[in-house]
Amino acid sequence: MDTSASDTLIRTNLDFLLRHAPFDRMETEALRFLGERLATAFYPAEAEILIPEDGPPRFFYIVYRGKVQARQVGSVSVTEYSTLTLGPGEGFPIGAISAGRPSTNGYIAVEDSYCFQLPAADFLKLQELSPTFQLFCTRYIASLLNQSREQLQVQFSQRAAEQQTMTTSLSNLVKKAPIFVGPELATRSALERMVEAGVGCLAVAGEDEKPVGVLTQSDILKRIVLPGFDLTRPIAEVMTTPPHTLNASASAYDAALEMATHGVRHILVVDTDDKLKGVISERDLFALQRIGLRQIRSGIESAADVQALQRASRDIRQLALNLLAQGIGAEQLTQFISALNDALTRRIIELNLNRHDLYGVEYAWLAFGSEGRHEQTLSTDQDNGILYVLPEWADKEPLKLRLLEFAKDVNNDLAACGFPLCEGNIMASNPELCLTFDEWREKFGTWIREPHPEALLNATIFFDYRVLYGDEKLAHKLRHWLLSMTGGNPAFLKAMATNALDVSPPLGKIRDFVTDDDARHPGTIDLKKFGARLFVDAARVLSLRTGVDATSTVQRLRQGGSRIGMPAEELAAMADGFHFIQLLRLRHQHLDTDHGSSGDNRVKPDDLNELDRRILKEAFRQARKIQLRLKLDYQI
Amino acid sequence: MNWLSRLLPGSNPALDPEQRAALDAIIALAPPDLARSHYETRYVVINAETGPMDGGGQRLLAVGAVAINQGLLHPADAYRTQLGGTPVDALIGLVRFIARSPVVVFNAPFNQGTLERALEQNLGSTPDLDWIDLMVLMPSLFPERTTGQARMDAWLGAFGIDRLDHRDALLEALCVAQLLQVALARANAQGLASPRDLLDTQSSRKWLRGS
């Protein structure tokens, strides 16, 4: 190779790149790396540059001259655009090449175009070399995550159709074309028509389709059977007239009001020309009765017994589905669930305090694990404990016994309200987990000093504690002590980091995902073990290292990450990745419980739509990124 | 070297043994299979830079060469040389870079003429090369664009190719190489899929024009 000639050509490549973002901000060394490796290809107008059938793309392309159009391929729309035109300086396909899967778009030259191409391996290398380029790609991927969230909302709006509110217009509620007969029809024929159509309410309308009357099942007995009405006579003589009608634009609430006011069970819905559009029954409106956050909350707070709380627990589940249906994000949703579960637990504790006298005892009811992180999904069992202070005047044994008996009742009531007893006995009724301040400190201290595998496992559960009831100050004091212990202990942090790196994101080299080879669950990925946990564990290390009080994974990432100088955009992308996995878990649990099977965390990538698969892969890449950071920081 | 020997046909300029061996090795290379498709072929685009010679005529000063290999232009696959004081090494370097690939120029009478003369004079025996002239080929590939031969500027303008510096032999070769990429895509669409097809088209074109 003639270096002077090559240099000149590389220089022309660089001159071009420097006129376009993100290359204009790219580090000199990385830019040189790119400039040396770009080959130029020519594509005449209408030529296909890249199509999904090509499989995982072998090159990353940058338009040098001309125009390239990205076109959606297939029937399922996976991005918000159907076509997108790329001009000089714009690159593609970032998502597909980052994920190593076939492009979902076809890329076609719309005019004679030159494109630079960079081998896929060099594209990945470039991301390692250039933080700027990596950030650019991360942002791009984050925009995909946003698109995915919107997509999910669209999907859920279908479910939401069954979960409409009382403000829904009647036109949305009318499902069937109306069954109606003319007023001159013989009553016998009209009744036959009712039976045939299986309706409880028959509308009567003229040839102009404007309703003139109505006959309901309850009218039949009173007006036809008992009086011995002649069935050959026209229906007009026995129908109720005028019928109660509402315009199709009226709300479900209006219909309910109309029914309540006039004591009727059916309303005829008409369009703006007063033509009959359908019939709404009282039952249609019952289906709309929604459970709101406030009702559940006040229901919980005023609950007099466990039975009332059991109903509240079911309502929480229903609310979660409704919120999911409205397209609420995973972060807010888990916060709602968490807030309501907290309220439920507090009420259970209060009810039990009526039976257990703990007056004057300083204690705190702690939640561990996902509950401690505000990240409960709907199939989490209970993880809890008690932190208490032993007064100088008191004997330890009797006090502890009282606390344990109280805890046992609370644990059982929680189980009755849908939080299964913990199989590992991580419950306040376990004498090992009902401890004084000094005992907890001793326990935590031992794990930190001797981080053997079991101690590390315990740390991942118990260090995420949070106070649900009782003395918060006590728990804060413990937290501060804990952070002061871990922050200055690199050996422990390294052990925690190693533990966090135990499981890798299930990204395949050949296939998109590595699925479980467990014969009982073929083709599935456990999104808790191989997804959420990767973020949770890494974020925990970050928080223990940087002294972040917060227990939620996203807060730990945001606060802890920024304390060690990770860019906010990168952290936001990681948070998005975590939320996406949580959302998939929640959705999966909901859909499954809807179909009657138990909610677990096993998702079959093959069952996901293309976009979800794609985003899931990006989310796993975010997990890999945070793991990589741990690896580098702790040289593992 | 005696000035007279340059005028004698078949005379062998003085090459040292090393230069001789290098040249022989290149000549011994197997000729490329001209029936393969463009996208399996390495083309070498050459641009000659000349200056006035004492006593009239043009003298080769520098050569820029850019390869289009399998349809792609890669910065690593390029060559530039100034003839200066060591024209023999410079030209051996060039033929080594060409490595018997089909050679593409714009305006063969000038480029091919100048180069062949320089090779003949400085190296004596040279490998047989296949020359393709885009000035001849382009009008036949793009009949809708022009009625006859056009200047390079016109073709570059038609395809939006930037002429970065017409005094630089390498950057000129770069322009011609980009033009060749356009030409190969069109040729392919017209069923002219190989260098052989291009050479045949060029011959018939020349014959039609009576040159």
Side-chain angles (χ1 to χ4, degrees):
Chain A
M1 153 169 145
D2 174 358
T3 48
S4 100
S6 293
D7 274 345
T8 304
L9 297 190
I10 291 165
R11 192 70 242 163
T12 64
N13 285 354
L14 296 184
D15 285 345
F16 171 82
L17 291 173
L18 283 169
R19 291 200 301 272
H20 300 280
F23 312 108
D24 54 349
R25 296 187 306 271
M26 209 148 94
E27 300 75 2
T28 317
E29 195 188 326
L31 195 62
R32 172 86 198 175
F33 174 89
L34 178 61
E36 281 172 3
R37 283 161 179 78
L38 289 180
T40 317
F42 173 80
Y43 298 94
E46 294 307 311
E48 286 174 339
I49 300 170
L50 178 69
I51 53 171
E53 289 71 25
D54 292 341
R58 291 164 52 227
F59 299 101
F60 171 66
Y61 299 86
I62 300 168
V63 181
Y64 175 55
R65 200 155 50 228
K67 278 198 183 75
V68 170
Q69 202 170 54
R71 293 178 192 168
Q72 287 287 292
V73 178
S75 53
V76 186
S77 170
V78 293
T79 40
E80 59 196 3
Y81 55 85
S82 57
T83 62
L84 180 73
T85 305
L86 305 170
E90 295 188 275
F92 61 92
I94 296 173
I97 204 163
S98 298
R101 47 127 187 97
S103 169
T104 43
N105 286 317
Y107 291 89
I108 292 125
V110 281
E111 55 185 54
D112 287 352
S113 301
Y114 290 87
C115 289
F116 284 134
Q117 57 183 54
L118 178 72
D122 287 335
F123 172 84
L124 299 176
K125 186 88 204 297
L126 185 67
Q127 287 205 39
E128 285 172 32
L129 278 177
S130 168
T132 306
F133 189 59
Q134 193 182 31
L135 182 61
F136 173 79
C137 295
T138 304
R139 277 192 188 141
Y140 178 83
I141 288 159
S143 78
L144 283 183
L145 285 166
N146 274 334
Q147 286 180 27
S148 158
R149 197 176 299 152
E150 281 159 20
Q151 194 76 16
L152 283 171
Q153 288 173 10
V154 172
Q155 270 171 23
F156 280 123
S157 69
Q158 290 173 343
R159 296 182 66 79
E162 298 149 25
Q163 306 283 333
Q164 288 145 328
T165 65
M166 293 299 278
T167 56
T168 303
S169 74
L170 297 180
S171 59
N172 286 332
L173 293 178
V174 171
K175 292 188 180 85
K176 292 185 295 190
I179 305 292
F180 68 92
V181 297
E184 304 308 323
L185 192 68
T187 302
R188 176 183 299 280
S189 306
L191 294 180
E192 281 167 358
R193 191 72 214 284
M194 262 178 105
V195 173
E196 191 184 302
V199 291
C201 170
L202 185 71
V204 181
E207 280 179 26
D208 55 4
E209 296 178 34
K210 293 181 182 171
V212 293
V214 67
L215 186 79
T216 67
Q217 257 172 348
S218 59
D219 296 334
I220 297 172
L221 187 66
K222 280 181 285 179
R223 297 186 201 164
I224 299 173
V225 179
L226 296 179
F229 183 78
D230 181 357
L231 294 179
T232 60
R233 298 175 61 177
I235 183 81
E237 292 182 20
V238 283
M239 69 187 185
T240 305
T241 187
H244 293 280
T245 61
L246 279 174
N247 195 277
S249 61
S251 70
Y253 180 79
D254 295 332
L257 195 64
E258 185 80 3
M259 288 177 194
T261 312
H262 299 286
V264 295
R265 295 211 171 99
H266 297 87
I267 297 286
L268 301 187
V269 181
V270 295
D271 64 14
T272 43
D273 297 329
D274 288 331
K275 286 186 182 174
L276 186 66
K277 296 302 292 177
V279 179
I280 291 291
S281 73
E282 200 176 30
R283 194 191 292 178
D284 291 332
L285 298 183
F286 278 147
L288 289 178
Q289 292 294 341
R290 294 268 317 268
I291 323 122
L293 189 62
R294 203 181 306 160
Q295 289 102 301
I296 297 178
R297 188 143 203 157
S298 66
I300 290 170
E301 280 158 6
S302 63
D305 50 29
V306 175
Q307 285 72 35
L309 290 171
Q310 281 175 324
R311 280 193 296 277
S313 166
R314 281 194 295 273
D315 287 349
I316 293 174
R317 217 164 257 272
Q318 184 61 43
L319 175 72
L321 178 59
N322 290 343
L323 291 174
L324 206 50
Q326 289 169 18
I328 196 168
E331 187 170 26
Q332 296 93 322
L333 184 56
T334 44
Q335 276 168 3
F336 275 130
I337 296 174
S338 177
L340 291 176
N341 283 346
D342 284 4
L344 190 72
T345 307
R346 287 190 189 116
R347 187 63 194 153
I348 287 174
I349 290 173
E350 282 166 3
L351 289 176
N352 276 289
L353 285 174
N354 295 337
R355 279 176 284 146
H356 296 268
D357 181 18
L358 293 177
Y359 185 76
V361 182
E362 279 182 75
Y363 71 98
W365 181 275
L366 304 177
F368 302 121
S370 63
E371 198 180 1
R373 294 189 302 270
H374 297 274
E375 283 158 16
Q376 263 173 311
T377 60
L378 295 164
S379 62
T380 343
D381 55 4
Q382 44 177 312
D383 286 338
N384 44 49
I386 287 178
L387 162 65
Y388 68 98
V389 175
L390 184 66
E392 285 172 20
W393 45 263
D395 284 340
K396 187 179 170 188
E397 285 311 308
L399 176 60
K400 181 158 180 168
L401 219 56
R402 270 161 66 202
L403 282 166
L404 286 174
E405 300 219 318
F406 157 74
K408 189 165 188 190
D409 283 351
V410 173
N411 286 148
N412 286 334
D413 285 353
L414 281 170
C417 289
F419 303 95
L421 293 171
C422 177
E423 284 175 21
N425 201 16
I426 301 178
M427 291 188 290
S429 56
N430 178 350
E432 291 295 308
L433 300 176
C434 176
L435 303 174
T436 65
F437 186 86
D438 290 340
E439 286 168 340
W440 276 116
R441 214 166 58 173
E442 174 57 30
K443 208 178 188 68
F444 285 2
T446 314
W447 295 340
I448 295 169
R449 277 191 306 277
E450 296 159 39
H452 51 78
E454 206 193 327
L456 290 170
L457 179 65
N458 284 334
T460 64
I461 298 166
F462 293 99
F463 285 8
D464 296 347
Y465 75 83
R466 179 167 69 90
V467 176
L468 282 193
Y469 191 93
D471 194 335
E472 300 232 4
K473 269 185 277 175
L474 210 54
H476 271 300
K477 216 168 101 187
L478 186 62
R479 166 81 51 203
H480 285 148
W481 173 84
L482 174 65
L483 291 175
S484 73
M485 288 294 287
T486 57
N489 191 329
F492 172 73
L493 290 176
K494 180 167 182 171
M496 285 292 280
T498 309
N499 194 47
L501 294 173
D502 201 31
V503 173
S504 302
L507 289 168
K509 285 206 170 58
I510 300 161
R511 296 183 40 130
D512 271 358
F513 301 105
V514 178
T515 51
D516 212 319
D517 46 13
D518 187 333
R520 283 170 303 171
H521 314 284
T524 64
I525 293 178
D526 184 333
L527 281 185
K528 184 181 178 185
K529 188 177 174 195
F530 293 98
R533 228 197 81 185
L534 311 187
F535 291 93
V536 168
D537 286 350
R540 184 183 301 105
V541 176
L542 215 51
S543 76
L544 293 175
R545 170 179 167 194
T546 56
V548 171
D549 283 347
T551 52
S552 100
T553 297
V554 167
Q555 283 307 319
R556 285 171 160 179
L557 275 175
R558 284 180 188 151
Q559 295 179 26
S562 72
R563 284 182 197 184
I564 60 165
M566 292 169 73
E569 291 88 349
E570 220 168 277
L571 293 167
M574 286 171 185
D576 273 344
F578 174 66
H579 284 147
F580 183 77
I581 287 175
Q582 292 289 79
L583 199 58
L584 278 191
R585 285 177 70 195
L586 284 165
R587 187 177 65 171
H588 178 68
Q589 290 176 359
H590 275 297
L591 295 181
D592 268 13
T593 43
D594 268 13
H595 295 130
S597 68
S598 73
D600 62 17
N601 292 295
R602 294 193 166 276
V603 167
K604 254 199 179 117
D606 287 350
D607 290 350
L608 298 175
N609 69 34
E610 172 60 24
L611 184 70
D612 284 350
R613 259 203 306 280
R614 184 165 156 185
I615 302 304
L616 181 60
K617 183 138 199 204
E618 307 294 358
F620 285 144
R621 278 182 47 81
Q622 294 297 331
R624 181 147 77 190
K625 224 156 135 186
I626 178 129
Q627 286 201 338
L628 190 67
R629 174 76 200 216
L630 280 190
K631 255 181 220 166
L632 290 173
D633 285 356
Y634 292 98
Q635 313 210 328
I636 298 162
Chain B
M1 179 165 41
N2 186 317
W3 66 271
L4 203 65
S5 69
R6 293 186 186 177
L7 305 175
L8 297 173
S11 71
N12 244 346
L15 298 187
D16 65 34
E18 205 174 314
Q19 290 169 330
R20 182 77 258 158
L23 189 60
D24 286 347
I26 299 159
I27 292 169
L29 286 174
D33 180 355
L34 296 177
R36 294 189 145 223
S37 77
H38 303 306
Y39 299 96
E40 297 164 295
T41 300
R42 178 175 180 267
Y43 289 95
V44 170
V45 178
I46 282 182
N47 187 267
E49 188 186 328
T50 60
M53 225 167 18
D54 299 340
Q58 292 282 308
R59 188 166 59 93
L60 185 63
L61 296 179
V63 182
V66 174
I68 296 293
N69 194 1
Q70 304 185 344
L72 295 173
L73 190 163
H74 198 285
D77 207 358
Y79 182 80
R80 163 161 53 194
T81 191
Q82 312 279 338
L83 265 65
T86 55
V88 172
D89 286 336
L91 290 170
I92 287 178
L94 178 66
V95 290
R96 186 188 285 127
F97 179 77
I98 295 170
R100 304 207 68 175
S101 301
V103 176
V104 180
V105 292
F106 193 94
N107 189 354
F110 168 73
N111 284 287
Q112 185 180 352
T114 319
L115 264 162
E116 282 186 335
R117 209 160 40 243
L119 291 171
E120 180 79 30
Q121 286 174 0
N122 290 292
L123 305 184
S125 53
T126 56
D128 286 335
L129 294 173
D130 299 292
W131 294 82
I132 293 171
D133 188 354
L134 286 184
M135 191 167 72
V136 175
L137 263 186
M138 290 303 278
S140 106
L141 292 173
F142 295 91
E144 77 278 13
R145 301 249 184 190
T146 175
T147 49
Q149 283 187 6
R151 289 162 51 85
M152 188 159 114
D153 270 336
W155 287 114
L156 297 182
F159 296 105
I161 300 168
D162 297 325
R163 198 164 192 178
L164 296 170
D165 183 354
H166 65 87
R167 291 159 304 175
D168 184 322
L170 181 70
L171 292 179
E172 286 289 277
L174 176 63
C175 293
V176 180
Q178 291 175 22
L179 201 57
L180 173 64
Q181 288 184 301
V182 177
L184 293 180
R186 173 57 75 99
N188 223 35
Q190 293 180 350
L192 306 173
S194 68
R196 169 61 59 214
D197 294 338
L198 295 184
L199 289 163
D200 289 349
T201 307
Q202 177 174 268
S203 317
S204 59
R205 184 91 187 168
K206 280 182 183 164
W207 183 81
L208 277 176
R209 280 174 37 230
S211 63

